[in-house]
mmCIF file with all atom_site columns, all heavy atoms in Angstrom:
data_model
loop_
_atom_site.group_PDB
_atom_site.id
_atom_site.type_symbol
_atom_site.label_atom_id
_atom_site.label_alt_id
_atom_site.label_comp_id
_atom_site.label_asym_id
_atom_site.label_entity_id
_atom_site.label_seq_id
_atom_site.pdbx_PDB_ins_code
_atom_site.Cartn_x
_atom_site.Cartn_y
_atom_site.Cartn_z
_atom_site.occupancy
_atom_site.B_iso_or_equiv
_atom_site.pdbx_formal_charge
_atom_site.auth_seq_id
_atom_site.auth_comp_id
_atom_site.auth_asym_id
_atom_site.auth_atom_id
_atom_site.pdbx_PDB_model_num
ATOM 1   N N   . ARG A 1 371 ? 66.038 137.325 -4.806 1.00 92.00 ? 371 ARG A N   1
ATOM 2   C CA  . ARG A 1 371 ? 66.941 136.533 -5.642 1.00 92.00 ? 371 ARG A CA  1
ATOM 3   C C   . ARG A 1 371 ? 67.744 135.609 -4.712 1.00 92.00 ? 371 ARG A C   1
ATOM 4   O O   . ARG A 1 371 ? 68.350 136.060 -3.735 1.00 92.00 ? 371 ARG A O   1
ATOM 5   C CB  . ARG A 1 371 ? 67.905 137.431 -6.423 1.00 92.00 ? 371 ARG A CB  1
ATOM 6   C CG  . ARG A 1 371 ? 67.225 138.376 -7.389 1.00 92.00 ? 371 ARG A CG  1
ATOM 7   C CD  . ARG A 1 371 ? 68.212 138.935 -8.389 1.00 92.00 ? 371 ARG A CD  1
ATOM 8   N NE  . ARG A 1 371 ? 69.390 139.485 -7.752 1.00 92.00 ? 371 ARG A NE  1
ATOM 9   C CZ  . ARG A 1 371 ? 70.634 139.290 -8.187 1.00 92.00 ? 371 ARG A CZ  1
ATOM 10  N NH1 . ARG A 1 371 ? 70.870 138.540 -9.240 1.00 92.00 ? 371 ARG A NH1 1
ATOM 11  N NH2 . ARG A 1 371 ? 71.656 139.858 -7.555 1.00 92.00 ? 371 ARG A NH2 1
ATOM 12  N N   . GLY A 1 372 ? 67.762 134.338 -5.039 1.00 91.00 ? 372 GLY A N   1
ATOM 13  C CA  . GLY A 1 372 ? 68.443 133.380 -4.199 1.00 91.00 ? 372 GLY A CA  1
ATOM 14  C C   . GLY A 1 372 ? 69.955 133.563 -4.231 1.00 91.00 ? 372 GLY A C   1
ATOM 15  O O   . GLY A 1 372 ? 70.521 134.068 -5.194 1.00 91.00 ? 372 GLY A O   1
ATOM 16  N N   . GLY A 1 373 ? 70.599 133.095 -3.149 1.00 91.00 ? 373 GLY A N   1
ATOM 17  C CA  . GLY A 1 373 ? 72.060 133.125 -3.071 1.00 91.00 ? 373 GLY A CA  1
ATOM 18  C C   . GLY A 1 373 ? 72.596 131.750 -2.764 1.00 91.00 ? 373 GLY A C   1
ATOM 19  O O   . GLY A 1 373 ? 71.969 130.730 -3.073 1.00 91.00 ? 373 GLY A O   1
ATOM 20  N N   . THR A 1 374 ? 73.776 131.709 -2.148 1.00 89.00 ? 374 THR A N   1
ATOM 21  C CA  . THR A 1 374 ? 74.457 130.436 -1.889 1.00 89.00 ? 374 THR A CA  1
ATOM 22  C C   . THR A 1 374 ? 74.604 130.127 -0.414 1.00 89.00 ? 374 THR A C   1
ATOM 23  O O   . THR A 1 374 ? 75.282 129.176 -0.059 1.00 89.00 ? 374 THR A O   1
ATOM 24  C CB  . THR A 1 374 ? 75.859 130.450 -2.541 1.00 89.00 ? 374 THR A CB  1
ATOM 25  O OG1 . THR A 1 374 ? 76.625 131.539 -1.990 1.00 89.00 ? 374 THR A OG1 1
ATOM 26  C CG2 . THR A 1 374 ? 75.751 130.623 -4.050 1.00 89.00 ? 374 THR A CG2 1
ATOM 27  N N   . SER A 1 375 ? 74.000 130.934 0.460  1.00 85.00 ? 375 SER A N   1
ATOM 28  C CA  . SER A 1 375 ? 74.143 130.691 1.888  1.00 85.00 ? 375 SER A CA  1
ATOM 29  C C   . SER A 1 375 ? 73.467 129.380 2.289  1.00 85.00 ? 375 SER A C   1
ATOM 30  O O   . SER A 1 375 ? 72.397 129.054 1.785  1.00 85.00 ? 375 SER A O   1
ATOM 31  C CB  . SER A 1 375 ? 73.520 131.848 2.696  1.00 85.00 ? 375 SER A CB  1
ATOM 32  O OG  . SER A 1 375 ? 73.524 131.546 4.072  1.00 85.00 ? 375 SER A OG  1
ATOM 33  N N   . ASP A 1 376 ? 74.145 128.640 3.199  1.00 77.00 ? 376 ASP A N   1
ATOM 34  C CA  . ASP A 1 376 ? 73.560 127.395 3.701  1.00 77.00 ? 376 ASP A CA  1
ATOM 35  C C   . ASP A 1 376 ? 72.923 127.600 5.060  1.00 77.00 ? 376 ASP A C   1
ATOM 36  O O   . ASP A 1 376 ? 72.643 126.655 5.792  1.00 77.00 ? 376 ASP A O   1
ATOM 37  C CB  . ASP A 1 376 ? 74.633 126.309 3.799  1.00 77.00 ? 376 ASP A CB  1
ATOM 38  C CG  . ASP A 1 376 ? 75.808 126.726 4.700  1.00 77.00 ? 376 ASP A CG  1
ATOM 39  O OD1 . ASP A 1 376 ? 75.783 127.866 5.212  1.00 77.00 ? 376 ASP A OD1 1
ATOM 40  O OD2 . ASP A 1 376 ? 76.732 125.915 4.866  1.00 77.00 ? 376 ASP A OD2 1
ATOM 41  N N   . GLY A 1 377 ? 72.682 128.863 5.442  1.00 70.00 ? 377 GLY A N   1
ATOM 42  C CA  . GLY A 1 377 ? 72.078 129.162 6.744  1.00 70.00 ? 377 GLY A CA  1
ATOM 43  C C   . GLY A 1 377 ? 73.127 129.298 7.814  1.00 70.00 ? 377 GLY A C   1
ATOM 44  O O   . GLY A 1 377 ? 74.213 129.842 7.586  1.00 70.00 ? 377 GLY A O   1
ATOM 45  N N   . GLY A 1 378 ? 72.840 128.810 8.979  1.00 65.00 ? 378 GLY A N   1
ATOM 46  C CA  . GLY A 1 378 ? 73.796 128.879 10.069 1.00 65.00 ? 378 GLY A CA  1
ATOM 47  C C   . GLY A 1 378 ? 74.058 130.298 10.544 1.00 65.00 ? 378 GLY A C   1
ATOM 48  O O   . GLY A 1 378 ? 75.131 130.587 11.079 1.00 65.00 ? 378 GLY A O   1
ATOM 49  N N   . GLY A 1 379 ? 73.105 131.180 10.351 1.00 66.00 ? 379 GLY A N   1
ATOM 50  C CA  . GLY A 1 379 ? 73.295 132.562 10.813 1.00 66.00 ? 379 GLY A CA  1
ATOM 51  C C   . GLY A 1 379 ? 73.959 133.461 9.794  1.00 66.00 ? 379 GLY A C   1
ATOM 52  O O   . GLY A 1 379 ? 74.003 134.674 9.984  1.00 66.00 ? 379 GLY A O   1
ATOM 53  N N   . ARG A 1 380 ? 74.493 132.871 8.699  1.00 82.00 ? 380 ARG A N   1
ATOM 54  C CA  . ARG A 1 380 ? 75.208 133.693 7.694  1.00 82.00 ? 380 ARG A CA  1
ATOM 55  C C   . ARG A 1 380 ? 74.233 134.133 6.601  1.00 82.00 ? 380 ARG A C   1
ATOM 56  O O   . ARG A 1 380 ? 74.392 133.809 5.440  1.00 82.00 ? 380 ARG A O   1
ATOM 57  C CB  . ARG A 1 380 ? 76.351 132.899 7.094  1.00 82.00 ? 380 ARG A CB  1
ATOM 58  C CG  . ARG A 1 380 ? 77.527 132.669 8.039  1.00 82.00 ? 380 ARG A CG  1
ATOM 59  C CD  . ARG A 1 380 ? 78.587 131.811 7.363  1.00 82.00 ? 380 ARG A CD  1
ATOM 60  N NE  . ARG A 1 380 ? 79.006 132.352 6.089  1.00 82.00 ? 380 ARG A NE  1
ATOM 61  C CZ  . ARG A 1 380 ? 79.932 133.273 5.923  1.00 82.00 ? 380 ARG A CZ  1
ATOM 62  N NH1 . ARG A 1 380 ? 80.526 133.811 6.987  1.00 82.00 ? 380 ARG A NH1 1
ATOM 63  N NH2 . ARG A 1 380 ? 80.275 133.692 4.720  1.00 82.00 ? 380 ARG A NH2 1
ATOM 64  N N   . MET A 1 381 ? 73.191 134.889 6.985  1.00 90.00 ? 381 MET A N   1
ATOM 65  C CA  . MET A 1 381 ? 72.224 135.383 6.003  1.00 90.00 ? 381 MET A CA  1
ATOM 66  C C   . MET A 1 381 ? 71.828 136.814 6.325  1.00 90.00 ? 381 MET A C   1
ATOM 67  O O   . MET A 1 381 ? 71.704 137.169 7.497  1.00 90.00 ? 381 MET A O   1
ATOM 68  C CB  . MET A 1 381 ? 70.968 134.499 5.973  1.00 90.00 ? 381 MET A CB  1
ATOM 69  C CG  . MET A 1 381 ? 71.218 133.087 5.458  1.00 90.00 ? 381 MET A CG  1
ATOM 70  S SD  . MET A 1 381 ? 69.661 132.205 5.054  1.00 90.00 ? 381 MET A SD  1
ATOM 71  C CE  . MET A 1 381 ? 68.861 132.200 6.630  1.00 90.00 ? 381 MET A CE  1
ATOM 72  N N   . VAL A 1 382 ? 71.638 137.617 5.269  1.00 93.00 ? 382 VAL A N   1
ATOM 73  C CA  . VAL A 1 382 ? 71.155 138.987 5.400  1.00 93.00 ? 382 VAL A CA  1
ATOM 74  C C   . VAL A 1 382 ? 69.916 139.104 4.530  1.00 93.00 ? 382 VAL A C   1
ATOM 75  O O   . VAL A 1 382 ? 70.018 139.244 3.305  1.00 93.00 ? 382 VAL A O   1
ATOM 76  C CB  . VAL A 1 382 ? 72.212 140.016 4.965  1.00 93.00 ? 382 VAL A CB  1
ATOM 77  C CG1 . VAL A 1 382 ? 71.671 141.438 5.103  1.00 93.00 ? 382 VAL A CG1 1
ATOM 78  C CG2 . VAL A 1 382 ? 73.476 139.863 5.813  1.00 93.00 ? 382 VAL A CG2 1
ATOM 79  N N   . PRO A 1 383 ? 68.709 139.009 5.094  1.00 94.00 ? 383 PRO A N   1
ATOM 80  C CA  . PRO A 1 383 ? 67.482 139.074 4.299  1.00 94.00 ? 383 PRO A CA  1
ATOM 81  C C   . PRO A 1 383 ? 67.324 140.424 3.601  1.00 94.00 ? 383 PRO A C   1
ATOM 82  O O   . PRO A 1 383 ? 67.861 141.444 4.029  1.00 94.00 ? 383 PRO A O   1
ATOM 83  C CB  . PRO A 1 383 ? 66.379 138.862 5.333  1.00 94.00 ? 383 PRO A CB  1
ATOM 84  C CG  . PRO A 1 383 ? 67.057 138.205 6.504  1.00 94.00 ? 383 PRO A CG  1
ATOM 85  C CD  . PRO A 1 383 ? 68.443 138.762 6.517  1.00 94.00 ? 383 PRO A CD  1
ATOM 86  N N   . ASP A 1 384 ? 66.563 140.432 2.499  1.00 95.00 ? 384 ASP A N   1
ATOM 87  C CA  . ASP A 1 384 ? 66.203 141.680 1.835  1.00 95.00 ? 384 ASP A CA  1
ATOM 88  C C   . ASP A 1 384 ? 65.484 142.597 2.824  1.00 95.00 ? 384 ASP A C   1
ATOM 89  O O   . ASP A 1 384 ? 64.861 142.130 3.779  1.00 95.00 ? 384 ASP A O   1
ATOM 90  C CB  . ASP A 1 384 ? 65.250 141.414 0.661  1.00 95.00 ? 384 ASP A CB  1
ATOM 91  C CG  . ASP A 1 384 ? 65.871 140.577 -0.441 1.00 95.00 ? 384 ASP A CG  1
ATOM 92  O OD1 . ASP A 1 384 ? 67.066 140.279 -0.360 1.00 95.00 ? 384 ASP A OD1 1
ATOM 93  O OD2 . ASP A 1 384 ? 65.131 140.224 -1.389 1.00 95.00 ? 384 ASP A OD2 1
ATOM 94  N N   . GLN A 1 385 ? 65.599 143.897 2.560  1.00 96.00 ? 385 GLN A N   1
ATOM 95  C CA  . GLN A 1 385 ? 64.840 144.867 3.348  1.00 96.00 ? 385 GLN A CA  1
ATOM 96  C C   . GLN A 1 385 ? 63.986 145.702 2.400  1.00 96.00 ? 385 GLN A C   1
ATOM 97  O O   . GLN A 1 385 ? 64.433 146.096 1.319  1.00 96.00 ? 385 GLN A O   1
ATOM 98  C CB  . GLN A 1 385 ? 65.758 145.760 4.180  1.00 96.00 ? 385 GLN A CB  1
ATOM 99  C CG  . GLN A 1 385 ? 66.461 145.008 5.295  1.00 96.00 ? 385 GLN A CG  1
ATOM 100 C CD  . GLN A 1 385 ? 67.112 145.924 6.310  1.00 96.00 ? 385 GLN A CD  1
ATOM 101 O OE1 . GLN A 1 385 ? 66.815 147.108 6.389  1.00 96.00 ? 385 GLN A OE1 1
ATOM 102 N NE2 . GLN A 1 385 ? 68.014 145.372 7.113  1.00 96.00 ? 385 GLN A NE2 1
ATOM 103 N N   . GLU A 1 386 ? 62.753 145.964 2.815  1.00 97.00 ? 386 GLU A N   1
ATOM 104 C CA  . GLU A 1 386 ? 61.791 146.679 1.980  1.00 97.00 ? 386 GLU A CA  1
ATOM 105 C C   . GLU A 1 386 ? 61.147 147.814 2.770  1.00 97.00 ? 386 GLU A C   1
ATOM 106 O O   . GLU A 1 386 ? 60.864 147.667 3.948  1.00 97.00 ? 386 GLU A O   1
ATOM 107 C CB  . GLU A 1 386 ? 60.727 145.702 1.498  1.00 97.00 ? 386 GLU A CB  1
ATOM 108 C CG  . GLU A 1 386 ? 59.693 146.277 0.550  1.00 97.00 ? 386 GLU A CG  1
ATOM 109 C CD  . GLU A 1 386 ? 58.756 145.221 0.038  1.00 97.00 ? 386 GLU A CD  1
ATOM 110 O OE1 . GLU A 1 386 ? 59.166 144.426 -0.848 1.00 97.00 ? 386 GLU A OE1 1
ATOM 111 O OE2 . GLU A 1 386 ? 57.600 145.170 0.544  1.00 97.00 ? 386 GLU A OE2 1
ATOM 112 N N   . VAL A 1 387 ? 60.941 148.933 2.080  1.00 97.00 ? 387 VAL A N   1
ATOM 113 C CA  . VAL A 1 387 ? 60.296 150.095 2.677  1.00 97.00 ? 387 VAL A CA  1
ATOM 114 C C   . VAL A 1 387 ? 59.151 150.527 1.779  1.00 97.00 ? 387 VAL A C   1
ATOM 115 O O   . VAL A 1 387 ? 59.269 150.557 0.557  1.00 97.00 ? 387 VAL A O   1
ATOM 116 C CB  . VAL A 1 387 ? 61.288 151.267 2.856  1.00 97.00 ? 387 VAL A CB  1
ATOM 117 C CG1 . VAL A 1 387 ? 60.561 152.552 3.219  1.00 97.00 ? 387 VAL A CG1 1
ATOM 118 C CG2 . VAL A 1 387 ? 62.309 150.946 3.926  1.00 97.00 ? 387 VAL A CG2 1
ATOM 119 N N   . ARG A 1 388 ? 58.019 150.856 2.402  1.00 97.00 ? 388 ARG A N   1
ATOM 120 C CA  . ARG A 1 388 ? 56.878 151.440 1.677  1.00 97.00 ? 388 ARG A CA  1
ATOM 121 C C   . ARG A 1 388 ? 56.618 152.828 2.266  1.00 97.00 ? 388 ARG A C   1
ATOM 122 O O   . ARG A 1 388 ? 56.538 152.971 3.485  1.00 97.00 ? 388 ARG A O   1
ATOM 123 C CB  . ARG A 1 388 ? 55.634 150.577 1.830  1.00 97.00 ? 388 ARG A CB  1
ATOM 124 C CG  . ARG A 1 388 ? 55.715 149.251 1.099  1.00 97.00 ? 388 ARG A CG  1
ATOM 125 C CD  . ARG A 1 388 ? 54.372 148.507 1.178  1.00 97.00 ? 388 ARG A CD  1
ATOM 126 N NE  . ARG A 1 388 ? 54.401 147.256 0.441  1.00 97.00 ? 388 ARG A NE  1
ATOM 127 C CZ  . ARG A 1 388 ? 54.732 146.091 0.968  1.00 97.00 ? 388 ARG A CZ  1
ATOM 128 N NH1 . ARG A 1 388 ? 55.068 146.032 2.250  1.00 97.00 ? 388 ARG A NH1 1
ATOM 129 N NH2 . ARG A 1 388 ? 54.727 144.999 0.236  1.00 97.00 ? 388 ARG A NH2 1
ATOM 130 N N   . LEU A 1 389 ? 56.513 153.820 1.396  1.00 96.00 ? 389 LEU A N   1
ATOM 131 C CA  . LEU A 1 389 ? 56.212 155.175 1.850  1.00 96.00 ? 389 LEU A CA  1
ATOM 132 C C   . LEU A 1 389 ? 55.180 155.800 0.936  1.00 96.00 ? 389 LEU A C   1
ATOM 133 O O   . LEU A 1 389 ? 55.069 155.421 -0.237 1.00 96.00 ? 389 LEU A O   1
ATOM 134 C CB  . LEU A 1 389 ? 57.468 156.017 1.893  1.00 96.00 ? 389 LEU A CB  1
ATOM 135 C CG  . LEU A 1 389 ? 58.273 156.215 0.611  1.00 96.00 ? 389 LEU A CG  1
ATOM 136 C CD1 . LEU A 1 389 ? 59.008 157.548 0.647  1.00 96.00 ? 389 LEU A CD1 1
ATOM 137 C CD2 . LEU A 1 389 ? 59.307 155.105 0.453  1.00 96.00 ? 389 LEU A CD2 1
ATOM 138 N N   . GLN A 1 390 ? 54.432 156.746 1.487  1.00 97.00 ? 390 GLN A N   1
ATOM 139 C CA  . GLN A 1 390 ? 53.439 157.475 0.722  1.00 97.00 ? 390 GLN A CA  1
ATOM 140 C C   . GLN A 1 390 ? 53.764 158.958 0.769  1.00 97.00 ? 390 GLN A C   1
ATOM 141 O O   . GLN A 1 390 ? 53.988 159.503 1.856  1.00 97.00 ? 390 GLN A O   1
ATOM 142 C CB  . GLN A 1 390 ? 52.035 157.211 1.279  1.00 97.00 ? 390 GLN A CB  1
ATOM 143 C CG  . GLN A 1 390 ? 51.592 155.776 1.111  1.00 97.00 ? 390 GLN A CG  1
ATOM 144 C CD  . GLN A 1 390 ? 50.147 155.561 1.538  1.00 97.00 ? 390 GLN A CD  1
ATOM 145 O OE1 . GLN A 1 390 ? 49.584 156.345 2.301  1.00 97.00 ? 390 GLN A OE1 1
ATOM 146 N NE2 . GLN A 1 390 ? 49.537 154.496 1.039  1.00 97.00 ? 390 GLN A NE2 1
ATOM 147 N N   . ILE A 1 391 ? 53.813 159.577 -0.399 1.00 97.00 ? 391 ILE A N   1
ATOM 148 C CA  . ILE A 1 391 ? 54.228 160.973 -0.512 1.00 97.00 ? 391 ILE A CA  1
ATOM 149 C C   . ILE A 1 391 ? 53.114 161.769 -1.181 1.00 97.00 ? 391 ILE A C   1
ATOM 150 O O   . ILE A 1 391 ? 52.621 161.397 -2.250 1.00 97.00 ? 391 ILE A O   1
ATOM 151 C CB  . ILE A 1 391 ? 55.541 161.096 -1.305 1.00 97.00 ? 391 ILE A CB  1
ATOM 152 C CG1 . ILE A 1 391 ? 56.659 160.324 -0.577 1.00 97.00 ? 391 ILE A CG1 1
ATOM 153 C CG2 . ILE A 1 391 ? 55.937 162.559 -1.483 1.00 97.00 ? 391 ILE A CG2 1
ATOM 154 C CD1 . ILE A 1 391 ? 57.941 160.263 -1.350 1.00 97.00 ? 391 ILE A CD1 1
ATOM 155 N N   . SER A 1 392 ? 52.736 162.865 -0.539 1.00 97.00 ? 392 SER A N   1
ATOM 156 C CA  . SER A 1 392 ? 51.715 163.780 -1.088 1.00 97.00 ? 392 SER A CA  1
ATOM 157 C C   . SER A 1 392 ? 52.392 165.102 -1.427 1.00 97.00 ? 392 SER A C   1
ATOM 158 O O   . SER A 1 392 ? 52.549 165.959 -0.565 1.00 97.00 ? 392 SER A O   1
ATOM 159 C CB  . SER A 1 392 ? 50.591 164.005 -0.068 1.00 97.00 ? 392 SER A CB  1
ATOM 160 O OG  . SER A 1 392 ? 49.930 162.795 0.231  1.00 97.00 ? 392 SER A OG  1
ATOM 161 N N   . PRO A 1 393 ? 52.850 165.275 -2.672 1.00 97.00 ? 393 PRO A N   1
ATOM 162 C CA  . PRO A 1 393 ? 53.537 166.496 -3.044 1.00 97.00 ? 393 PRO A CA  1
ATOM 163 C C   . PRO A 1 393 ? 52.667 167.731 -2.813 1.00 97.00 ? 393 PRO A C   1
ATOM 164 O O   . PRO A 1 393 ? 51.516 167.775 -3.246 1.00 97.00 ? 393 PRO A O   1
ATOM 165 C CB  . PRO A 1 393 ? 53.843 166.311 -4.538 1.00 97.00 ? 393 PRO A CB  1
ATOM 166 C CG  . PRO A 1 393 ? 53.818 164.821 -4.733 1.00 97.00 ? 393 PRO A CG  1
ATOM 167 C CD  . PRO A 1 393 ? 52.762 164.329 -3.793 1.00 97.00 ? 393 PRO A CD  1
ATOM 168 N N   . ARG A 1 394 ? 53.226 168.714 -2.135 1.00 95.00 ? 394 ARG A N   1
ATOM 169 C CA  . ARG A 1 394 ? 52.454 169.921 -1.801 1.00 95.00 ? 394 ARG A CA  1
ATOM 170 C C   . ARG A 1 394 ? 51.892 170.592 -3.030 1.00 95.00 ? 394 ARG A C   1
ATOM 171 O O   . ARG A 1 394 ? 50.755 171.066 -3.054 1.00 95.00 ? 394 ARG A O   1
ATOM 172 C CB  . ARG A 1 394 ? 53.340 170.877 -1.017 1.00 95.00 ? 394 ARG A CB  1
ATOM 173 C CG  . ARG A 1 394 ? 52.678 172.204 -0.663 1.00 95.00 ? 394 ARG A CG  1
ATOM 174 C CD  . ARG A 1 394 ? 53.595 173.090 0.167  1.00 95.00 ? 394 ARG A CD  1
ATOM 175 N NE  . ARG A 1 394 ? 52.948 174.347 0.498  1.00 95.00 ? 394 ARG A NE  1
ATOM 176 C CZ  . ARG A 1 394 ? 52.955 175.434 -0.243 1.00 95.00 ? 394 ARG A CZ  1
ATOM 177 N NH1 . ARG A 1 394 ? 53.589 175.395 -1.428 1.00 95.00 ? 394 ARG A NH1 1
ATOM 178 N NH2 . ARG A 1 394 ? 52.344 176.542 0.113  1.00 95.00 ? 394 ARG A NH2 1
ATOM 179 N N   . ASN A 1 395 ? 52.706 170.651 -4.091 1.00 96.00 ? 395 ASN A N   1
ATOM 180 C CA  . ASN A 1 395 ? 52.279 171.393 -5.280 1.00 96.00 ? 395 ASN A CA  1
ATOM 181 C C   . ASN A 1 395 ? 51.237 170.653 -6.105 1.00 96.00 ? 395 ASN A C   1
ATOM 182 O O   . ASN A 1 395 ? 50.697 171.233 -7.061 1.00 96.00 ? 395 ASN A O   1
ATOM 183 C CB  . ASN A 1 395 ? 53.504 171.713 -6.140 1.00 96.00 ? 395 ASN A CB  1
ATOM 184 C CG  . ASN A 1 395 ? 54.392 172.758 -5.504 1.00 96.00 ? 395 ASN A CG  1
ATOM 185 O OD1 . ASN A 1 395 ? 54.064 173.942 -5.516 1.00 96.00 ? 395 ASN A OD1 1
ATOM 186 N ND2 . ASN A 1 395 ? 55.497 172.338 -4.909 1.00 96.00 ? 395 ASN A ND2 1
ATOM 187 N N   . LEU A 1 396 ? 50.957 169.413 -5.777 1.00 96.00 ? 396 LEU A N   1
ATOM 188 C CA  . LEU A 1 396 ? 49.869 168.707 -6.425 1.00 96.00 ? 396 LEU A CA  1
ATOM 189 C C   . LEU A 1 396 ? 48.592 168.754 -5.606 1.00 96.00 ? 396 LEU A C   1
ATOM 190 O O   . LEU A 1 396 ? 47.565 168.213 -6.026 1.00 96.00 ? 396 LEU A O   1
ATOM 191 C CB  . LEU A 1 396 ? 50.250 167.237 -6.677 1.00 96.00 ? 396 LEU A CB  1
ATOM 192 C CG  . LEU A 1 396 ? 51.478 166.984 -7.547 1.00 96.00 ? 396 LEU A CG  1
ATOM 193 C CD1 . LEU A 1 396 ? 51.614 165.491 -7.814 1.00 96.00 ? 396 LEU A CD1 1
ATOM 194 C CD2 . LEU A 1 396 ? 51.413 167.771 -8.847 1.00 96.00 ? 396 LEU A CD2 1
#
Side-chain angles (χ1 to χ4, degrees):
R371 298 196 310 136
T374 59
S375 174
D376 58 359
R380 289 177 54 84
M381 293 194 300
V382 179
D384 297 355
Q385 292 194 16
E386 183 175 285
V387 169
R388 291 186 177 91
L389 59 152
Q390 294 186 339
I391 299 174
S392 298
R394 177 177 180 273
N395 289 284
L396 301 186

